[in-house]
Amino acid sequence: MQTYLTLPQIEAFLVLEARASFSEAAAELGVSQPAFSRTIQQIETRLGVRLFDRDTRYVRLTAAGEQLRPIAMRLMKEYERSFTEFQSYVDGYLGRIRLATLPSVAATLLPGALRRFVQAHPGISVDVWEDVTIPVHMMVENGEVEIGLAPPPREGRALNFRRVLDDTLVLAFRVDDPLAQYDVLDWTMLRNRPLVAMSTDTGLRALIDRALETAGITRDVPQLFNCKYQTTALAFVAASLGVSVQTRLAIAQALPPGVTWRPLAGPSVERPIGLIVDPARSMMQHTRALMREIEREARELDIAFDLHGQRGR
C-alpha cells in the first residue's frame, strides 16, 4: 500500500529541514511547538521511517530524510508553479478562449478584433471554429465553446443573445447580367431565375424562404444546389449557374471576380448577428474582453459599410 503526505506535511518537513530547529520551524508556520512536533511524528509514523536525528542541540536529516528532501522540494515547487499559473488565468494573463462562428463572420468581424485582443492579451490563445448557424448554437449549448457569434437561437434555447450587427441580404450575380443596370433590386425580379440556394440547415435559408413567400414568388423561383457555405454559392454564381441571395458580410468576405451585387427591397431583409453565451456558465474576464473587441469591430464595420455605399462595384 502506497503512503502519501499532505501538502501541509510536506511543508512542515521542508521548514524543519531549513530551520534545523523545532521552535523556529513552529514559529514560522504559526503553530505551537508541541503541535509541530506531533506533525513531524505523524509524518515519520506514516512513512514508517525516521526522517530527522535530533537531540538537545541539533536537528539533522537522516539518510531517508535526505532522500525525501529533493522529492518534497520538487512537489512544493510544482504546487506553487501550478497555482501561480492558475492565478494568471484568473487575472486574465493566461488561458484559452473557444469561439464558434459563421465563416463570413469569422473573415470580416474577427481579424481586427483578434488583432487588438492578442496585442493586449499575449498569453491568451483563441480557438475559432467555423460552421453554420445551428451547429454554432449547439457548441455553445454543449459547452464546447465559450462564445458563439451568429444569428439568434430559436426560442426555447437557454442561451443569451446580444446583437452586434445587422447583416443585410443582397443579391449576387455576374457583372454581365442585365440586373447590373439597377441600383436596387426587387425580390420579384428573381421570378423564373435559377437561384443558387443555401442549405435548409442554415439560418439564411429560412430568411430567404420567408422573403420569397412575402414577395409571392416562392413557386416561381427554382432553388438549386443547396450549398452549406456561402463561398461555394458565390463560386457557382461566378460559373453562371444562377444568381444567389447572400449577406453583406459574405460579399465582403469573398466576392469572386466577375460577380457583383445589389441590395434587395420589397422586402428589405436583415439578419441580426450577435454574441451568444450560456448564462448558466461562469465567464472569465478575458472572455469578456474579447467580446468587447468584437462589439467594437462590429460598430466600425457598420460605419465602413455605410461609407462604401449600397451597391456592388
Side-chain angles (χ1 to χ4, degrees):
M1 179 179 177
Q2 292 181 319
T3 302
Y4 300 101
L5 298 182
T6 65
L7 281 171
Q9 288 174 329
I10 293 173
E11 184 181 20
F13 166 78
L14 290 173
V15 171
L16 180 56
E17 185 275 330
R19 293 294 185 182
S21 164
F22 276 81
S23 58
E24 291 183 16
E28 181 172 331
L29 293 176
V31 298
S32 68
Q33 183 172 333
F36 182 76
S37 295
R38 285 194 298 272
T39 297
I40 297 300
Q41 290 171 359
Q42 290 167 357
I43 294 171
E44 293 178 328
T45 299
R46 189 166 192 174
L47 294 178
V49 66
R50 180 178 286 273
L51 300 174
F52 295 95
D53 286 326
R54 54 264 205 189
D55 55 31
T56 56
R57 297 180 59 188
Y58 299 105
V59 177
R60 301 186 183 91
L61 288 174
T62 64
E66 292 285 357
Q67 183 71 21
L68 179 60
R69 178 171 55 182
I71 298 172
M73 292 179 67
R74 186 168 65 248
L75 288 171
M76 288 303 296
K77 286 180 180 179
E78 177 62 22
Y79 175 80
E80 292 169 359
R81 186 200 64 78
S82 297
F83 274 87
T84 298
E85 182 177 309
F86 176 73
Q87 190 60 50
S88 294
Y89 171 79
V90 172
D91 294 338
Y93 297 117
L94 291 175
R96 180 178 300 275
I97 301 173
R98 300 164 300 173
L99 181 149
T101 188
L102 314 183
S104 61
V105 178
T108 50
L109 268 182
L110 289 186
L114 286 176
R115 183 182 65 252
R116 291 189 298 270
F117 178 81
V118 169
Q119 289 173 348
H121 303 82
I124 306 294
S125 300
V126 182
D127 295 337
V128 178
W129 279 273
E130 297 174 81
D131 212 319
V132 293
T133 300
I134 294 175
V136 170
H137 295 163
M138 292 179 64
M139 281 188 273
V140 178
E141 200 168 49
N142 295 337
E144 298 172 54
V145 298
E146 288 78 36
I147 305 173
L149 188 56
R154 66 173 184 270
E155 292 185 11
R157 271 206 151 119
L159 299 173
N160 283 354
F161 174 84
R162 187 162 79 233
R163 175 200 165 278
V164 299
L165 183 73
D166 286 327
D167 195 7
T168 306
L169 268 59
V170 301
L171 187 69
F173 50 88
R174 285 183 54 85
V175 294
D176 53 5
D177 193 298
L179 293 174
Q181 65 184 299
Y182 301 100
D183 289 331
V184 179
L185 303 177
D186 190 277
W187 283 85
T188 58
M189 300 171 78
L190 274 66
R191 182 178 280 115
N192 299 322
R193 297 290 303 261
L195 182 66
V196 178
M198 301 305 299
S199 170
T200 54
D201 65 352
T202 64
L204 180 56
R205 174 61 179 268
L207 285 177
I208 294 170
D209 286 347
R210 284 197 294 270
L212 292 173
E213 184 177 0
T214 300
I217 57 171
T218 300
R219 297 188 178 185
D220 300 327
V221 179
Q223 299 200 46
L224 311 173
F225 306 116
N226 294 312
C227 303
K228 183 175 182 178
Y229 294 109
Q230 292 171 281
T231 50
T232 304
L234 288 168
F236 287 0
V237 172
S240 301
L241 294 173
V243 299
S244 186
V245 177
Q246 292 298 321
T247 65
R248 190 68 177 83
L249 288 182
I251 296 297
Q253 174 197 8
L255 190 66
V259 177
T260 188
W261 62 276
R262 295 292 186 274
L264 279 164
S268 178
V269 182
E270 292 182 332
R271 177 178 68 167
I273 300 294
L275 294 160
I276 302 168
V277 298
D278 184 346
R281 299 181 186 275
S282 299
M283 187 179 301
M284 301 305 297
Q285 58 178 318
H286 50 258
T287 305
R288 297 184 188 278
L290 177 56
M291 293 171 66
R292 288 193 294 271
E293 290 296 349
I294 291 172
E295 289 178 303
R296 173 183 169 184
E297 189 70 16
R299 290 192 295 270
E300 294 179 0
L301 192 61
D302 254 340
I303 295 171
F305 280 175
D306 289 342
L307 292 175
H308 293 161
Q310 292 296 314
R311 59 174 286 171
R313 299 188 184 277

